Amino acid sequence: ADIAAGKAKAAVCAACHGGNGISIIPDYPNLAGQKVKYLESSIKAYRDGERKNPIMSPMAAGLSDADVANIAAYFASLPAGG
Amino acid sequence: ADIAAGKAKAAVCAACHGGNGISIIPDYPNLAGQKVKYLESSIKAYRDGERKNPIMSPMAAGLSDADVANIAAYFASLPAGG
């Protein structure tokens, strides 16, 4: 996976999940240091409709598998706890 | 919330999510240091059928709101990254 490409693609995610992957909003999960496979399956679940959320579903729509892998690798690479 | 009670109730969770909240299995999320409100909403989503998973759904079934609050507080209290 391409972490730099993931970081670029994940710019929009920072609004809720934090620039360092520690979310600003208590209802939204921290992503920093999370398991990359779990991050991938979560993003795909929103993209493919297995999980539904008014914010995450549109965010994930249209992402390619490569985008998903890169975004997941980026957040997984951030130090857990920020 | 009662973190000690949460720890006791969460003993069964350690099998997948790790004794320190860092999961042993790459497909399963780390829970240590996660946002308590996100943990609560996730457990309730499994308990109430909003999210479906062959392992998590039965795990969450039957938990009271107090159990959920205690379990969530316990994992949120663990140092992120283990």
Side-chain angles (χ1 to χ4, degrees), chain A:
Chain A
D2 180 339
I3 288 180
K7 178 172 184 171
K9 200 77 184 174
V12 64
C13 312
C16 293
H17 292 293
N20 61 352
I22 301 302
S23 75
I24 294 156
I25 299 151
D27 304 68
Y28 303 151
N30 300 325
L31 302 181
Q34 183 54 274
K35 288 282 188 286
V36 66
K37 275 190 80 178
Y38 179 71
L39 289 170
E40 280 187 33
S41 61
S42 297
I43 301 171
K44 285 180 180 172
Y46 284 117
R47 181 188 69 184
D48 305 337
E50 197 193 303
R51 282 177 73 175
K52 292 185 178 50
N53 179 285
I55 298 170
M56 276 305 295
S57 299
M59 279 290 168
L63 291 177
S64 69
D65 286 350
D67 290 333
V68 173
N70 294 341
I71 291 166
Y74 165 63
F75 280 112
S77 74
L78 296 176

